[in-house]
Amino acid sequence: MPLRNKVAIVTGGNSGIGQAIVLALAGQGAKIVIDYIVDEQAVEGLEAEIAKLGGQAIGVDADVSKPAEIQKLVDAAVQAFGRLDIMVNNAGVETRSSILDTTEAQYDRVMDVNLKSAFFGTQIAAKQMIGQGGGGRIINITSVHEDWPMPGNTPYCLSKGGMRMLNRTAGVELGPHGVSVVGVGPGAVATPINASTMNNPGLLAKLDAAIPLGRMARPEEIATLVAFLAGDGASYLTATTIFADGGLMQSSVGL
Protein backbone atom coordinates (compact mmCIF):
# COMPACT_ATOMS: atom_id res chain seq x y z
CA MET A 1 0.00 0.00 0.00
CA PRO A 2 1.67 3.23 -1.15
CA LEU A 3 0.44 5.34 1.79
CA ARG A 4 1.10 2.83 4.57
CA ASN A 5 2.28 4.57 7.76
CA LYS A 6 1.17 7.96 6.42
CA VAL A 7 -1.26 10.09 8.43
CA ALA A 8 -3.83 12.32 6.72
CA ILE A 9 -6.43 14.89 7.72
CA VAL A 10 -9.42 15.47 5.43
CA THR A 11 -11.58 18.49 6.21
CA GLY A 12 -15.26 18.16 5.38
CA GLY A 13 -14.52 14.46 5.23
CA ASN A 14 -17.89 12.87 5.93
CA SER A 15 -19.76 13.64 2.70
CA GLY A 16 -19.34 14.24 -1.01
CA ILE A 17 -15.82 14.55 -2.36
CA GLY A 18 -14.39 14.54 1.16
CA GLN A 19 -15.88 11.15 1.97
CA ALA A 20 -14.53 9.71 -1.26
CA ILE A 21 -11.08 11.12 -0.45
CA VAL A 22 -11.16 9.55 3.01
CA LEU A 23 -11.92 6.14 1.52
CA ALA A 24 -9.32 6.50 -1.25
CA LEU A 25 -6.53 7.45 1.15
CA ALA A 26 -7.50 4.76 3.63
CA GLY A 27 -7.62 2.23 0.81
CA GLN A 28 -3.97 2.99 0.13
CA GLY A 29 -3.01 2.48 3.76
CA ALA A 30 -3.15 5.96 5.29
CA LYS A 31 -4.44 6.58 8.80
CA ILE A 32 -7.16 9.22 8.62
CA VAL A 33 -8.53 12.04 10.75
CA ILE A 34 -12.02 12.87 9.44
CA ASP A 35 -13.12 16.42 10.13
CA TYR A 36 -16.85 17.12 10.36
CA ILE A 37 -19.33 19.59 11.85
CA VAL A 38 -22.60 17.76 11.15
CA ASP A 39 -23.80 14.16 10.73
CA GLU A 40 -21.66 12.31 13.25
CA GLN A 41 -23.38 9.07 12.22
CA ALA A 42 -21.85 9.35 8.75
CA VAL A 43 -18.41 9.64 10.35
CA GLU A 44 -19.03 6.60 12.51
CA GLY A 45 -20.07 4.68 9.42
CA LEU A 46 -16.86 5.70 7.66
CA GLU A 47 -14.75 4.68 10.64
CA ALA A 48 -16.44 1.27 10.67
CA GLU A 49 -15.98 0.83 6.92
CA ILE A 50 -12.29 1.67 7.16
CA ALA A 51 -11.83 -0.65 10.15
CA LYS A 52 -13.31 -3.53 8.14
CA LEU A 53 -10.61 -2.88 5.53
CA GLY A 54 -7.95 -3.11 8.22
CA GLY A 55 -7.38 0.64 8.41
CA GLN A 56 -7.59 3.26 11.12
CA ALA A 57 -9.63 6.44 11.26
CA ILE A 58 -10.97 8.82 13.86
CA GLY A 59 -13.58 11.56 13.57
CA VAL A 60 -13.04 15.02 15.02
CA ASP A 61 -15.79 17.64 15.31
CA ALA A 62 -14.05 20.85 14.21
CA ASP A 63 -15.19 24.08 12.56
CA VAL A 64 -12.35 24.76 10.14
CA SER A 65 -13.36 28.39 9.69
CA LYS A 66 -11.63 28.87 13.06
CA PRO A 67 -7.82 28.40 13.16
CA ALA A 68 -7.97 27.07 16.73
CA GLU A 69 -10.25 24.27 15.51
CA ILE A 70 -7.78 23.42 12.72
CA GLN A 71 -5.07 23.20 15.35
CA LYS A 72 -7.36 20.80 17.23
CA LEU A 73 -7.46 18.57 14.15
CA VAL A 74 -3.68 18.55 13.83
CA ASP A 75 -3.25 17.88 17.54
CA ALA A 76 -5.71 14.99 17.28
CA ALA A 77 -3.76 13.48 14.39
CA VAL A 78 -0.48 13.69 16.31
CA GLN A 79 -2.02 12.35 19.51
CA ALA A 80 -3.70 9.41 17.77
CA PHE A 81 -1.12 8.53 15.13
CA GLY A 82 2.11 10.32 16.02
CA ARG A 83 2.51 12.71 13.06
CA LEU A 84 0.90 14.38 10.06
CA ASP A 85 1.97 13.69 6.48
CA ILE A 86 -1.01 14.70 4.31
CA MET A 87 -3.39 17.62 4.76
CA VAL A 88 -6.43 17.79 2.49
CA ASN A 89 -8.28 21.11 2.80
CA ASN A 90 -11.57 20.07 1.25
CA ALA A 91 -14.33 21.81 3.22
CA GLY A 92 -16.37 24.20 1.12
CA VAL A 93 -19.70 25.99 0.79
CA GLU A 94 -21.38 28.25 -1.73
CA THR A 95 -24.28 30.72 -1.75
CA ARG A 96 -25.15 30.88 -5.47
CA SER A 97 -25.39 34.67 -5.13
CA SER A 98 -24.28 37.45 -7.47
CA ILE A 99 -22.18 40.55 -6.87
CA LEU A 100 -25.41 42.59 -6.60
CA ASP A 101 -27.26 40.45 -4.07
CA THR A 102 -24.58 38.89 -1.84
CA THR A 103 -24.90 39.93 1.79
CA GLU A 104 -21.97 40.50 4.11
CA ALA A 105 -22.94 37.41 6.09
CA GLN A 106 -22.96 35.26 2.94
CA TYR A 107 -19.61 36.66 1.84
CA ASP A 108 -18.02 36.05 5.24
CA ARG A 109 -19.30 32.48 5.46
CA VAL A 110 -17.99 31.48 2.02
CA MET A 111 -14.61 33.13 2.52
CA ASP A 112 -14.20 31.71 6.03
CA VAL A 113 -15.09 28.13 5.17
CA ASN A 114 -13.40 28.01 1.77
CA LEU A 115 -10.38 30.32 1.79
CA LYS A 116 -9.59 31.14 5.40
CA SER A 117 -9.74 27.46 6.35
CA ALA A 118 -7.43 26.51 3.47
CA PHE A 119 -4.96 29.27 4.38
CA PHE A 120 -4.71 28.35 8.03
CA GLY A 121 -5.03 24.65 7.27
CA THR A 122 -1.97 25.01 5.05
CA GLN A 123 -0.11 27.09 7.63
CA ILE A 124 -0.83 24.91 10.66
CA ALA A 125 -0.22 21.64 8.81
CA ALA A 126 3.04 22.96 7.35
CA LYS A 127 4.31 23.96 10.79
CA GLN A 128 3.63 20.45 12.07
CA MET A 129 5.27 18.83 9.04
CA ILE A 130 8.37 21.01 9.30
CA GLY A 131 8.65 20.49 13.04
CA GLN A 132 8.44 16.71 12.85
CA GLY A 133 10.70 16.45 9.79
CA GLY A 134 10.27 14.43 6.63
CA GLY A 135 8.25 16.95 4.63
CA GLY A 136 4.61 16.51 3.67
CA ARG A 137 1.83 17.04 1.17
CA ILE A 138 -0.86 19.70 1.36
CA ILE A 139 -3.69 19.28 -1.13
CA ASN A 140 -6.26 22.04 -1.44
CA ILE A 141 -9.54 21.20 -3.16
CA THR A 142 -10.32 24.22 -5.28
CA SER A 143 -12.52 24.28 -8.38
CA VAL A 144 -12.53 25.13 -12.06
CA HIS A 145 -13.92 28.41 -10.73
CA GLU A 146 -10.53 29.45 -9.42
CA ASP A 147 -9.96 30.46 -13.05
CA TRP A 148 -13.34 30.23 -14.78
CA PRO A 149 -16.20 32.67 -14.05
CA MET A 150 -19.55 31.44 -12.78
CA PRO A 151 -22.02 34.33 -12.93
CA GLY A 152 -24.40 34.17 -9.99
CA ASN A 153 -21.85 32.53 -7.69
CA THR A 154 -19.41 35.37 -7.16
CA PRO A 155 -18.25 34.78 -3.54
CA TYR A 156 -17.50 31.14 -4.34
CA CYS A 157 -15.43 32.08 -7.41
CA LEU A 158 -13.58 34.70 -5.38
CA SER A 159 -12.73 32.18 -2.66
CA LYS A 160 -11.45 29.66 -5.19
CA GLY A 161 -9.44 32.32 -7.00
CA GLY A 162 -7.77 33.06 -3.68
CA MET A 163 -6.96 29.38 -3.26
CA ARG A 164 -5.24 29.45 -6.65
CA MET A 165 -2.70 31.97 -5.38
CA LEU A 166 -2.48 30.23 -2.01
CA ASN A 167 -1.34 27.06 -3.77
CA ARG A 168 1.15 28.91 -5.94
CA THR A 169 2.63 31.14 -3.27
CA ALA A 170 2.65 28.67 -0.38
CA GLY A 171 4.09 26.02 -2.68
CA VAL A 172 7.04 28.32 -3.44
CA GLU A 173 7.52 29.29 0.20
CA LEU A 174 7.28 25.76 1.58
CA GLY A 175 9.26 23.96 -1.13
CA PRO A 176 12.61 24.39 0.63
CA HIS A 177 11.09 22.67 3.68
CA GLY A 178 10.06 19.60 1.67
CA VAL A 179 6.36 20.47 1.89
CA SER A 180 4.48 20.51 -1.41
CA VAL A 181 1.22 22.38 -1.99
CA VAL A 182 -1.01 21.33 -4.87
CA GLY A 183 -4.57 22.24 -5.76
CA VAL A 184 -7.16 19.90 -7.24
CA GLY A 185 -9.75 21.74 -9.30
CA PRO A 186 -12.85 19.64 -9.94
CA GLY A 187 -15.43 20.57 -12.52
CA ALA A 188 -19.01 19.44 -12.02
CA VAL A 189 -19.16 16.55 -9.55
CA ALA A 190 -22.19 14.51 -8.51
CA THR A 191 -22.29 15.59 -4.85
CA PRO A 192 -24.88 17.33 -2.63
CA ILE A 193 -23.43 20.78 -3.43
CA ASN A 194 -24.74 20.29 -7.01
CA ALA A 195 -28.11 18.87 -5.98
CA SER A 196 -30.05 21.79 -7.48
CA THR A 197 -28.60 21.00 -10.90
CA MET A 198 -28.88 17.23 -10.61
CA ASN A 199 -32.52 17.48 -9.57
CA ASN A 200 -33.42 19.65 -12.56
CA PRO A 201 -33.44 17.49 -15.74
CA GLY A 202 -33.16 20.51 -18.03
CA LEU A 203 -30.17 22.00 -16.22
CA LEU A 204 -28.50 18.61 -15.93
CA ALA A 205 -28.89 17.94 -19.65
CA LYS A 206 -27.45 21.38 -20.42
CA LEU A 207 -24.48 20.75 -18.16
CA ASP A 208 -23.78 17.27 -19.51
CA ALA A 209 -23.89 18.63 -23.06
CA ALA A 210 -21.26 21.23 -22.17
CA ILE A 211 -18.80 18.64 -20.83
CA PRO A 212 -16.72 16.94 -23.54
CA LEU A 213 -16.83 13.66 -21.60
CA GLY A 214 -20.63 14.02 -21.46
CA ARG A 215 -21.25 13.66 -17.75
CA MET A 216 -20.49 14.94 -14.27
CA ALA A 217 -17.57 13.41 -12.42
CA ARG A 218 -18.06 10.81 -9.74
CA PRO A 219 -16.58 11.78 -6.35
CA GLU A 220 -14.33 8.72 -6.56
CA GLU A 221 -12.69 10.12 -9.70
CA ILE A 222 -11.59 13.23 -7.81
CA ALA A 223 -10.51 11.15 -4.82
CA THR A 224 -8.29 8.95 -7.00
CA LEU A 225 -6.42 12.05 -8.15
CA VAL A 226 -5.98 13.24 -4.56
CA ALA A 227 -4.60 9.84 -3.56
CA PHE A 228 -2.11 10.03 -6.44
CA LEU A 229 -0.99 13.50 -5.34
CA ALA A 230 -0.44 12.18 -1.81
CA GLY A 231 1.90 9.45 -3.04
CA ASP A 232 5.42 9.18 -4.41
CA GLY A 233 4.28 9.50 -8.02
CA ALA A 234 3.58 13.20 -7.44
CA SER A 235 6.86 13.97 -5.67
CA TYR A 236 7.85 16.73 -8.13
CA LEU A 237 4.51 18.56 -8.18
CA THR A 238 3.97 21.75 -6.22
CA ALA A 239 2.68 25.33 -6.54
CA THR A 240 0.09 24.42 -9.16
CA THR A 241 -3.48 23.19 -9.65
CA ILE A 242 -4.49 20.00 -11.42
CA PHE A 243 -7.92 20.34 -13.05
CA ALA A 244 -10.24 17.35 -13.30
CA ASP A 245 -13.18 18.72 -15.24
CA GLY A 246 -13.86 16.39 -18.17
CA GLY A 247 -12.75 19.19 -20.46
CA LEU A 248 -15.45 21.60 -19.26
CA MET A 249 -13.22 24.67 -19.01
CA GLN A 250 -12.20 24.38 -22.64
CA SER A 251 -15.66 23.98 -24.12
CA SER A 252 -18.17 26.36 -22.59
CA VAL A 253 -18.83 29.69 -20.92
CA GLY A 254 -19.80 29.54 -17.26
CA LEU A 255 -23.09 27.84 -16.51
Side-chain angles (χ1 to χ4, degrees):
M1 291 187 177
L3 299 180
R4 185 179 296 279
N5 298 323
K6 300 293 186 181
V7 179
I9 293 171
V10 181
T11 70
N14 67 334
S15 66
I17 293 173
Q19 178 176 312
I21 291 170
V22 165
L23 292 172
L25 295 178
Q28 295 198 12
K31 301 177 179 71
I32 312 291
V33 175
I34 306 167
D35 160 66
Y36 71 98
I37 54 172
V38 295
D39 198 359
E40 186 174 2
Q41 284 189 325
V43 176
E44 292 171 352
L46 271 175
E47 291 176 28
E49 186 173 352
I50 291 167
K52 287 180 182 178
L53 298 173
Q56 295 177 268
I58 61 169
V60 176
D61 182 353
D63 178 355
V64 294
S65 70
K66 300 177 173 62
E69 297 279 284
I70 299 172
Q71 185 67 60
K72 183 173 80 170
L73 283 172
V74 173
D75 291 345
V78 173
Q79 182 176 2
F81 303 123
R83 59 184 294 112
L84 174 64
D85 303 287
I86 303 158
M87 180 72 175
V88 183
N89 292 306
N90 164 76
V93 296
E94 63 179 5
T95 57
R96 297 290 175 112
S97 57
S98 73
I99 188 69
L100 295 177
D101 60 19
T102 297
T103 67
E104 183 178 4
Q106 288 175 317
Y107 175 91
D108 287 344
R109 179 169 182 261
V110 172
M111 297 301 286
D112 286 352
V113 174
N114 295 7
L115 183 56
K116 182 180 176 182
S117 74
F119 181 94
F120 285 101
T122 297
Q123 180 195 84
I124 294 166
K127 287 181 177 180
Q128 173 61 36
M129 292 167 179
I130 293 166
Q132 72 193 15
R137 304 287 171 83
I138 298 171
I139 302 166
N140 292 319
I141 308 303
T142 71
S143 166
V144 293
H145 298 299
E146 73 169 48
D147 192 50
W148 192 57
M150 185 180 185
N153 208 4
T154 306
Y156 182 81
C157 294
L158 181 59
S159 71
K160 297 303 182 179
M163 291 179 76
R164 173 189 176 98
M165 290 310 298
L166 170 63
N167 295 327
R168 292 182 174 193
T169 309
V172 171
E173 290 184 347
L174 297 175
H177 299 284
V179 177
S180 67
V181 184
V182 179
V184 171
V189 185
T191 65
I193 201 170
N194 286 317
S196 61
T197 297
M198 292 188 293
N199 293 332
N200 184 317
L203 284 178
L204 182 59
K206 183 181 178 183
L207 176 60
D208 287 346
I211 300 171
L213 293 185
R215 61 174 177 81
M216 301 176 78
R218 300 184 298 274
E220 295 78 12
E221 292 175 304
I222 308 303
T224 298
L225 175 56
V226 172
F228 167 75
L229 292 172
D232 290 343
S235 58
Y236 204 60
L237 280 172
T238 197
T240 191
T241 298
I242 309 300
F243 291 104
D245 69 345
L248 178 63
M249 293 174 71
Q250 310 307 322
S251 68
S252 173
V253 298
L255 295 174

